[in-house]
Amino acid sequence: MEEVPRCRAVGKSQLTSKRTTPKRRLNTTKETRDLLLSVALGQVLSLLICGIGLTSKYLSEDFHANTPVFQSFLNYILLFLVYTTTLAVRQGEENLLAILKRRWWKYMILGIIDIEANYLVVKAYQYTTLTSVQLLDCFVIPVVILLSWFFLLVRYKAVHFIGIVVCILGMGCMAGADVLVGRQQGAGENKLIGDLLVLGGATLYGISNVCEEYIVRNLSRVEFLGMIGLFGSFFSGIQLAIMEHKELLKVPWDWQIGLLYVGFSACMFGLYSFMPVVIKKTSATAVNLSLLTADLYSLFCGLFLFHYKFSGLYLLSFFTILVGLVLYSSTSTYVAQDPRVYKQFRNPSGPVVDLPATGQLEPSVTYTSLGQETEEEPHVRVA
């Protein structure tokens, strides 16, 4: 008689275990899927940058067409034709004129920052080596982290910093491989000027990326791209007329050069159009860590196209960066702000979570950088 309740207790425990185990498995599967998806999305951006680099290399070295401003101008014109015109035909508060009335000067500054970030980094190749550009361009990562910390109030955990350090170690490994195989392309003259140009460009990239993250989360992707297309095409057109019109006249135009310009513009337009999607799903920091593999994709293509020398350190560098990306993306960041006054960061139209009136509230709110939001799951969760 005494063993009957004991058997019932065991049966109840087994039943509870059967009910909870599938749910845990589903959560683990979803987290793994979201983790792999975020890493894969970042690699798509890296491949687009690889295409940009290859077409630029062919234009500058094979056809002597050194026209970085004109190439950027073509991209801004495409953004204008697609996204600015979309804003122009909208009605209400999301119309182009309504947006310009409220914050035209902010987008004007952002457009100039984006133009000059591209220009400074491309210009740096004329003064310093490829290895210096690769290493110093990593300066964008601490810039994005600091700006996200102070302006977006994003807080990082220890695993995020470990992942960042691992990614940078991977870049250092790639730079070391470049030195060993003698792949230090670039003039190397006036190296200090070139290094300063890279640091300036990386800083402007960081500012642009953090502003982009804020806009696509709180406003819209189309508004960001439409305004960048408007002011980018205007100011890059002025810069083109002043600084690069003579170089443009020297270009030996034929169908091959035209095809390279088309390929460059397609990759650049794809990068600008797709990056806000990835930033909204992950973060500006995660995107910049993902882009560290772009140089390696260019190198792997160069092994066949330009007969680069190969080193096993390149593969080690590639997998080291991927490990760092997985470490960084495996844990969510959070926004340090009192939940009693916190406005939803990801989706203003989502459900609001009722917070308890009693008890002490911790000044932190979890901010998920992975996974898609669902209607059943609240967007704000008290940590």
Side-chain angles (χ1 to χ4, degrees):
M1 296 295 295
E2 295 178 355
E3 293 184 359
V4 173
R6 187 182 305 168
C7 293
R8 289 178 180 173
V10 172
K12 185 177 180 180
S13 175
Q14 292 175 348
L15 182 61
T16 304
S17 176
K18 290 179 180 178
R19 288 178 179 175
T20 56
T21 301
K23 184 176 180 180
R24 290 178 181 175
R25 289 177 180 173
L26 286 174
N27 290 337
T28 304
T29 303
K30 183 177 183 301
E31 290 173 359
T32 303
R33 185 177 67 249
D34 291 339
L35 173 61
L36 295 176
L37 180 61
S38 69
V39 174
L41 290 175
Q43 297 314 295
V44 172
L45 296 179
S46 286
L47 288 172
L48 289 171
I49 291 183
C50 173
I52 291 169
L54 290 176
T55 51
S56 295
K57 182 176 177 61
Y58 273 116
L59 284 170
S60 62
E61 295 191 2
D62 291 8
F63 298 95
H64 306 289
N66 297 307
T67 57
V69 178
F70 175 67
Q71 291 166 226
S72 297
F73 177 72
L74 293 176
N75 172 57
Y76 291 124
I77 287 294
L78 288 176
L79 293 175
F80 177 86
L81 294 175
V82 175
Y83 296 104
T84 308
T85 54
T86 300
L87 292 177
V89 299
R90 283 183 172 180
Q91 303 295 325
E93 293 297 317
E94 295 184 350
N95 180 264
L96 176 63
L97 294 179
I99 295 171
L100 288 174
K101 288 179 181 178
R102 292 195 303 271
R103 39 185 176 266
W104 64 270
W105 62 273
K106 297 178 182 179
Y107 284 116
M108 181 184 71
I109 295 174
L110 183 58
I112 294 174
I113 288 174
D114 192 74
I115 293 169
E116 299 310 319
N118 292 322
Y119 178 76
L120 289 178
V121 173
V122 173
K123 192 71 174 176
Y125 283 97
Q126 299 179 15
Y127 299 98
T128 188
T129 62
L130 174 65
T131 303
S132 294
V133 173
Q134 290 172 341
L135 289 176
L136 294 175
D137 199 36
C138 294
F139 185 68
V140 67
I141 295 173
V143 171
V144 169
I145 291 173
L146 289 175
L147 292 177
S148 298
W149 183 285
F150 289 108
F151 295 100
L152 300 183
L153 304 178
V154 176
R155 296 296 180 262
Y156 303 91
K157 301 175 184 177
V159 67
H160 295 124
F161 292 108
I162 293 173
I164 291 169
V165 170
V166 171
C167 287
I168 294 177
L169 287 175
M171 279 299 297
C173 183
M174 182 182 69
D178 285 342
V179 174
L180 290 176
V181 302
R183 185 176 164 259
Q184 297 191 71
Q185 299 174 10
E189 302 173 358
N190 298 318
K191 192 172 184 299
L192 179 60
I193 296 177
D195 293 346
L196 291 176
L197 289 174
V198 177
L199 291 175
T203 302
L204 294 180
Y205 271 133
I207 296 172
S208 176
N209 289 162
V210 172
C211 291
E212 181 176 356
E213 179 175 354
Y214 177 84
I215 293 169
V216 298
R217 292 188 186 281
N218 293 273
L219 299 172
S220 77
R221 165 180 168 269
V222 175
E223 177 175 331
F224 170 77
L225 294 173
M227 292 295 102
I228 287 293
L230 176 63
F231 289 104
S233 58
F234 178 76
F235 287 108
S236 65
I238 294 175
Q239 189 171 357
L240 172 64
I242 296 174
M243 302 177 61
E244 213 172 77
H245 64 280
K246 293 182 179 179
E247 287 292 332
L248 199 58
L249 294 175
K250 296 178 183 178
V251 175
W253 292 98
D254 59 19
W255 68 271
Q256 291 179 314
I257 291 181
L259 192 60
L260 288 172
Y261 275 115
V262 170
F264 175 91
S265 301
C267 290
M268 198 74 164
F269 179 77
L271 177 68
Y272 270 71
S273 299
F274 191 51
M275 183 177 284
V277 177
V278 184
I279 285 181
K280 187 173 183 179
K281 185 170 181 60
T282 58
S283 66
T285 306
V287 165
N288 280 282
L289 291 174
S290 299
L291 297 183
L292 294 179
T293 58
D295 290 326
L296 286 164
Y297 288 128
S298 299
L299 168 73
F300 296 146
C301 292
L303 293 173
F304 302 98
L305 298 176
F306 309 115
H307 307 291
Y308 289 159
K309 293 181 180 180
F310 178 76
S311 171
L313 288 177
Y314 289 127
L315 288 177
L316 178 61
S317 172
F318 180 75
F319 288 111
T320 301
I321 293 174
L322 288 183
V323 169
L325 283 173
V326 172
L327 283 174
Y328 182 89
S329 303
S330 62
T331 304
S332 301
T333 56
Y334 64 95
V335 175
Q337 198 170 26
D338 194 326
R340 288 169 293 188
V341 296
Y342 178 66
K343 295 181 180 179
Q344 294 185 43
F345 187 69
R346 295 193 67 177
N347 188 0
S349 62
V352 180
V353 177
D354 294 329
L355 299 172
T358 58
Q360 186 176 0
L361 295 174
E362 295 185 15
S364 65
V365 176
T366 59
Y367 163 74
T368 304
S369 60
L370 296 176
Q372 297 180 352
E373 298 167 341
T374 59
E375 294 180 0
E376 295 80 15
E377 215 171 354
H379 301 295
V380 180
R381 177 164 55 84
V382 179

